[in-house]
Structures are given as C-alpha cells and as structure tokens.
Amino acid sequence: MSNAEYYTAVKGESWKFELMRVIDECMRYAGNRKEFLALLRSEGYDATWTDSRKNITYTTPDGRKCRDSRLHIGKYLKENMEAEFGLSLIHISEPT
C-alpha cells in the first residue's frame, strides 16, 4: 500500500476499503458466485469473474476498476473466494 493510499484510508476516504466492505457484506449473504455477483450489482458495483481469467476485476459505481490482487488482503483473491463458497456448500450439506 502506498503512503497516499494509506493516508486516504486513515481519513476514511478510500474507495478500495469501501469496495472491500461491500465485498464482505455480499459474501456474508451469498451462497455461491452467482448470488454474490447479483448482490454486488444490487449495490451498484460490478465484477468480471470467469473461469478463464486468473483474477476477479471489480468495477465501482463511479467506474474505477480494481483487481482482486490489489485489495491488500488474500481473502479477496479469486481462489480464496472460490474456496469460501466451496466450504460454505460443504458446511451446509453436512448432516446434523
């Protein structure tokens, strides 16, 4: 994270931190990739998340683009997001 980005985040004005907050909120309620993308779009964001691409590319409501690898935390990487949905499905399908 650059100094400028750090100070913007400290002031609460970072669009990347707002993007991460929205991703976290959508992940909380989504059971799979399709639901996640629908929730993300309902918040005014968009994402390009396909099997043929290495990264997820997010687009903010004002048109800024950001790859998952630029969000500073590994949990937002494509493989980790896919694993999260995989674990959720396993957890839900376990007998009680």
Side-chain angles (χ1 to χ4, degrees):
M1 181 181 307
S2 70
N3 283 340
E5 196 170 359
Y6 173 78
Y7 289 115
T8 302
V10 168
K11 291 191 291 185
E13 300 171 358
S14 172
W15 63 272
K16 284 186 182 179
F17 278 74
E18 178 61 17
L19 172 59
M20 289 187 284
R21 185 196 66 74
V22 171
I23 292 169
D24 287 338
E25 189 70 17
C26 293
M27 285 294 287
R28 181 177 298 137
Y29 295 103
N32 57 45
R33 177 171 67 182
K34 185 177 177 180
E35 290 176 6
F36 171 76
L37 293 172
L39 289 168
L40 196 65
R41 290 179 182 126
S42 74
E43 295 291 326
Y45 291 78
D46 198 8
T48 303
W49 181 350
T50 62
D51 294 335
S52 61
R53 290 182 158 203
K54 180 181 177 182
N55 298 94
I56 302 169
T57 302
Y58 295 97
T59 305
T60 65
D62 64 356
R64 294 181 185 196
K65 292 187 181 278
C66 183
R67 281 195 192 142
D68 57 359
S69 60
R70 298 286 185 183
L71 291 175
H72 313 298
I73 301 173
K75 75 177 186 175
Y76 300 113
L77 295 174
K78 179 182 175 184
E79 59 268 16
N80 294 337
M81 298 278 284
E82 289 174 343
E84 179 71 24
F85 285 130
L87 291 174
S88 297
L89 293 175
I90 292 168
H91 179 71
I92 290 169
S93 64
E94 289 178 349
T96 54

